[in-house]
Amino acid sequence: MPISKGRWIATGASIFVIVVSAVGFAPAHAQTLDRVRASSSLKFGYEADARPFSFKTDNGAPDGYAVALCNKVADSVKAELKLSQLAVEWVPLTGEARARAIQDGVVDLVCGAEPVTLSRRQQVSFSIPIFPSGTGAVVSTSAPLALREVLEYGEPSSRPVWRGSPARTILENKTFSSITGTTSEHWLSDKIKTFQLAATTASVDSFQQGIERVLDGRSAVLFGDMPLLMDVAARSDNSGNLVVLKRHFTYEPLGLELARADEDFRLIVDRALSQAYAAQNFRTFFTTWFGPRMKRLSLSSSRRPCLNSITRTGASVEPPFERDTRQPYAVVADRRAGGVRCCDIHPRGPHDTLCSVGACYRAAGRVAQSRYGISCRQDG
């Protein structure tokens, strides 16, 4: 179904209910604020290709949701230190330089899509969350329905697989992509090793490269941070040929990175974010980055209502199914490419594999009660 502005607003609202740990009262080094007070300058790092959180505009200026939040942090720092002027230097970060930017003192705050993980917290500290995120997946609309169902639900809803695990069989001999150096890359590698899948990984340097691999069939799936996947898929010229699955494979809130044991600076950062979230205009602020442009994208479940159907007299079904007494049996047909072509309601016979009402109509997106047998077939 189309991604609505309301869904993103609901996501933004969820930021308010994230439980935030109380700020500790250990002695603060306050090194960042001391340096800012002396130099009247702040150094913010950002990724130039992490829409909608941070990116470089056509004129070379940083922009994005996280960048806008960091500008609010700068205003808060300026007010707290009672500075007449505060210069903000924006430093583009990539690869290993981004990972080391805080520890090496290159920047004071990293303004991007940084997952808050236990391993990362060994090197840096984080602000309160700026967005609820996690690993998601995007596939082509031509991807086999069974693959989409296994990724979303853990098992296919129809077409029995006689040898081994159905999910395992469907996932093997596939190529999966992820973004180099991200938590999604580590997660994907770990899962393939854990389940000993005969699958191939192909890491890419950018989301755009990953999308291209999905579209041309070189990769079956691209894994990455859900909001970044949604944004790059929505902006693609081929957005109509892409589907972002609903499932979060991991749950990783995003935060702003700063130095450890610098609680005074962290308190100012957290206070600025809290005030931004509580502001009356936060909804407008939030939808600037997660609003209208997402309408082009399908955030799709593989099990959704069929687009056309006819049912035999005697079968009890719910809309949108229509009755047609001229047919010898009912065919619930989904005309989507790679979609469900099946769910025939007819007297039991040897020519079709029988399956349960639930299994068949899960695929169609409706539940029907019928005195006839239910059989399921699938395209692809």
Side-chain angles (χ1 to χ4, degrees), residues 3-4 23 27 49 65 67 80 131 161 167-168 239 244 246 255 264 271 291 299 304 309 313 319 323 356 358 378:
I3 288 183
S4 64
V23 176
D49 187 25
Y65 173 66
V67 170
E80 181 73 20
F131 197 89
V161 180
R168 182 188 183 87
S239 60
V244 178
K246 287 182 177 180
D264 284 354
R271 183 185 294 125
L299 182 72
R304 57 182 178 180
S309 61
T313 302
R323 298 181 182 279
S356 69
Q378 173 188 322

Side-chain angles (χ1 to χ4, degrees), residues 3-17:
I3 288 183
S4 64
K5 185 186 297 184
R7 183 180 183 277
W8 283 110
I9 293 173
T11 303
S14 69
I15 295 176
F16 291 93
V17 298

Side-chain angles (χ1 to χ4, degrees), residues 11-34:
T11 303
S14 69
I15 295 176
F16 291 93
V17 298
I18 296 175
V19 178
V20 180
S21 299
V23 176
F25 291 96
H29 294 279
Q31 52 192 351
T32 300
L33 295 184
D34 288 343

